[in-house]
Amino acid sequence: MMTHEEFTKRLLKDPKVQKEYEVLKEEFTLFDELLNARIRAGLTQAEVADRMRTKTPAIARLEAGGGNKKHSPSVSTLRKYAKAVGCHLEIKLVQKNSNMKTAHG
């Protein structure tokens, strides 16, 4: 059986898949972070749900991304999740292009 990583690498060889993946890469990174934080904390989705005072399916949707941009998690929800898994939320803006004008120039 192929691992998720092997499957992803195989799919990303297709230029069409790679293009679509790049569009959603930031979201995939967020959902990977959520899942990895929960695993590091040694918690199940049910335990995180209990700590957040919600239901297990809500945590499953949060970690899976829901597949719907209309339902992206709020900063408040991300803070609650972070607290539930023993973390704090950090949000950063990382400049992509050094040629970009600043707000003052």
Side-chain angles (χ1 to χ4, degrees):
M1 179 175 243
M2 191 180 303
T3 67
H4 180 263
E5 188 175 318
E6 291 168 338
F7 182 69
T8 302
K9 281 183 181 180
R10 189 169 125 203
L11 284 176
L12 289 175
K13 289 180 181 178
D14 181 335
K16 290 178 185 177
V17 173
Q18 191 172 22
K19 183 179 176 183
E20 289 300 317
Y21 180 85
E22 287 300 317
V23 170
L24 298 172
K25 188 175 182 178
E26 291 170 345
E27 290 179 47
F28 291 148
T29 300
L30 170 63
F31 305 126
D32 285 345
E33 279 293 314
L34 295 175
L35 179 60
N36 290 331
R38 179 175 59 77
I39 291 168
R40 283 192 307 270
L43 299 169
T44 65
Q45 288 180 338
E47 290 167 327
V48 173
D50 186 52
R51 291 177 180 201
M52 290 179 65
R53 299 177 188 223
T54 190
K55 304 286 184 192
T56 303
I59 301 305
R61 282 190 304 273
L62 180 64
E63 290 179 353
N68 188 341
K69 289 186 179 242
K70 291 180 186 178
H71 299 292
S72 293
S74 68
V75 172
S76 175
T77 298
L78 293 173
R79 277 193 192 116
K80 288 177 189 175
Y81 186 96
K83 184 178 179 183
V85 297
C87 297
H88 70 273
L89 180 64
E90 237 178 63
I91 299 174
K92 297 179 183 181
L93 297 178
V94 180
Q95 189 170 353
K96 287 184 175 184
N97 184 346
S98 61
N99 295 331
M100 192 176 280
K101 292 183 181 183
T102 64
H104 300 292

